[in-house]
Amino acid sequence: MREDYTEAVLAVAALIPPGRVLAYGDIAELLGAGGPRQVGSALAQSGDSVPWWRVIRASGQPPACHGNRAWTHYREEGTPLRGQAEPDGTGYRVCIREARWQPDDAGWEALDALREALARAGAEKSGGAMSPGHGEVEV
């Protein structure tokens, strides 16, 4: 995975305020590159350098195998939840409709800058050529 893509994913995760979330696919869509699996892979490389619990599955489930740790963060931040955490970290979901982050103007400016940086890095890597007719960034 490209380092610039990983850095962009981590930067988006860092933008999400407490009590709010985005799905893996939301981040890929906001960046205009990759998909949910690529976003998850980038986050897996981050350790605890970003608020990873704010990036969830589209179903509202917390990151796999981190349900108990995520539950603690959600409760501390006041993230809207349904259900209660079971001992194995399952049994609850984030109410994604209520908790999904909607960027403000500053957030959109930051996201625009990240998309532009990814596009430049992709163009440099491919010698300036973009995918025919698509303008997509290779991940």
Side-chain angles (χ1 to χ4, degrees):
M1 178 169 299
R2 287 189 2 216
E3 185 176 328
D4 53 329
Y5 184 77
T6 297
E7 290 174 6
V9 168
L10 299 179
V12 174
L15 290 172
I16 305 167
R20 298 288 170 220
V21 297
L22 286 176
Y24 296 102
D26 292 339
I27 291 179
E29 187 174 325
L30 287 169
L31 290 174
R37 289 180 187 256
Q38 289 80 13
V39 170
S41 180
L43 283 167
Q45 297 177 27
S46 74
D48 287 327
S49 68
V50 297
W52 53 266
W53 59 92
R54 296 181 191 153
V55 183
I56 63 173
R57 297 180 228 174
S59 65
Q61 293 175 300
C65 303
H66 297 290
N68 284 326
R69 287 179 56 209
W71 173 262
T72 301
H73 290 291
Y74 298 143
R75 301 283 295 168
E76 289 172 357
E77 295 182 357
T79 306
L81 301 168
R82 289 187 314 223
Q84 292 290 320
E86 299 292 332
D88 65 355
T90 63
Y92 74 95
R93 292 176 191 248
V94 172
C95 297
I96 197 162
R97 283 186 175 196
E98 296 174 41
R100 183 175 270 131
W101 177 54
Q102 297 297 321
D104 58 11
D105 289 341
W108 282 115
E109 288 177 19
L111 291 166
D112 289 343
L114 290 168
R115 276 192 301 274
E116 290 170 15
L118 278 177
R120 277 193 308 276
E124 289 170 7
K125 182 179 178 187
S126 65
M130 294 192 128
S131 302
H134 298 289
E136 295 178 354
V137 177
E138 178 187 308
V139 179

